[in-house]
Amino acid sequence: MRFKNAYRKVMREMQAERDRADALHDARRKEIYKKVPRLAEIDRELGEIGIQIARFAISGDSDAIALGREKTDALKEERLILMQKSFRGKKDLAKYNCKKCSDTGYIGIPATACVCLKQRLINEYYSLSNLREVLRDENFGTFDMQLFSEKIVENEGLSPRMNMETVFRVTNKFVKNFDAEFNNLLLFGDTGLGKTFVCHCIAKEILDRGRTVLYLTVPRLCKVIEDSRFNRISAPDEMLEAVDDVDLLVLDDLGTEISTIITSAALFDIINQRLLTRKHTVISTNLTTNELATQYSDRIVSRFLGNYQMVKFFGEDIRVKKKYGGFERRS
């Protein structure tokens, strides 16, 4: 029920904001009409012509439609000149937060969710999981290389710190080139090595750019999938739409979920759909590449190996260190 209530809360907030904007719109329109009565006449004429054009479209009278559009253009031009002359070019009557949907949350016919609604829902989901607080502490600005050993790991040929410097470069490049290059990351390694911390770092950077981001643990995603599949509650449907649509999807803790036929099929569909639509995805897992091949179908693993940059983590569990910094709450 929490996610259903989140949707209702966001829609109530957007409606309240729209009501305030509409009230200001009406007050300003009355002020404008009082100062320049001709503007009221123009708006009334534009409305009448719009109705006439719709009727002509039904009857197929193309000449009448063309004439109506000419009149419309002329009236709009006159209106613009009057506005510029009388109000110094301030044409906007209502100050909506989102110009695309005018704070309704939906655009187009048939109506589809506006990007502003999607991000506000994501922000509300973050509030429910306290992730916003986490991102204040866990970001590239609090990335502490001193937590990682400089001792060379024999079978790796480099130290954990050297490896994390590589991780830092790879993830920063991913963020820097986010808008220019399509890329996906799969972070893998034992628990306690900083994979979730790095996921948070990436999420915060992309959010700060004003792009849509959804962070989910895979167990939570599977719960949402099953709730939606069995109609337990309706609210997760908005989240499942976001899973497909967001600019960046971060899936943490792959391999810790209880897998079923339904969730496995849905996970493949999500991964495959985002590849087809060239939407970035970052996944973290405690599994090795061999364990991934054992736990997941060939078609899922092949998507990982063929379309994701594999980023390995190794070293000591940094949670046991006294000097812990921003990694304290997550693995």
Side-chain angles (χ1 to χ4, degrees), residues 7 35 45 51 58 129 206 210 213 216 240 252:
Y7 176 77
K35 184 175 181 179
E45 290 176 30
I51 294 173
I58 294 173
S129 62
I206 302 303
V213 178
L216 283 172
L240 290 178
D252 202 5

Side-chain angles (χ1 to χ4, degrees), residues 124-191:
E124 192 62 29
Y125 298 153
Y126 281 170
S127 297
L128 292 174
S129 62
N130 296 319
L131 187 60
R132 282 289 182 186
E133 295 297 323
V134 173
L135 295 184
R136 290 193 183 98
D137 298 329
E138 301 190 358
N139 53 72
F140 283 123
T142 60
F143 203 113
D144 187 0
M145 289 294 177
Q146 299 300 316
L147 294 168
F148 302 94
S149 171
E150 293 184 285
K151 184 178 179 180
I152 300 295
V153 176
E154 186 175 346
N155 61 336
E156 298 291 346
L158 67 164
S159 69
R161 184 176 300 182
M162 294 165 63
N163 184 64
M164 287 308 296
E165 288 170 350
T166 298
V167 170
F168 188 84
R169 287 194 298 271
V170 168
T171 51
N172 269 273
K173 181 180 178 182
F174 174 85
V175 169
K176 181 180 179 181
N177 297 333
F178 189 84
D179 295 324
E181 297 179 5
F182 174 59
N183 196 12
N184 305 285
L185 302 178
L186 196 152
L187 317 180
F188 69 100
D190 291 337
T191 60

Side-chain angles (χ1 to χ4, degrees), residues 39-106:
L39 286 171
E41 296 174 3
I42 290 174
D43 285 347
R44 183 172 59 254
E45 290 176 30
L46 285 171
E48 292 172 354
I49 293 173
I51 294 173
Q52 292 172 2
I53 289 176
R55 290 173 179 168
F56 294 144
I58 294 173
S59 64
D61 191 338
S62 58
D63 291 338
I65 292 174
L67 181 60
R69 287 175 176 167
E70 287 180 9
K71 291 180 180 179
T72 296
D73 291 341
L75 286 169
K76 286 182 177 179
E77 180 66 21
E78 182 184 356
R79 191 181 193 282
L80 177 61
I81 293 172
L82 285 172
M83 288 293 294
Q84 290 175 336
K85 180 179 179 181
S86 304
F87 303 99
R88 296 181 182 178
K90 295 180 179 179
K91 303 183 291 300
D92 292 336
L93 298 180
K95 298 295 184 181
Y96 297 115
N97 293 316
C98 180
K99 293 183 179 180
K100 292 181 179 179
C101 71
S102 299
D103 294 346
T104 63
Y106 292 89

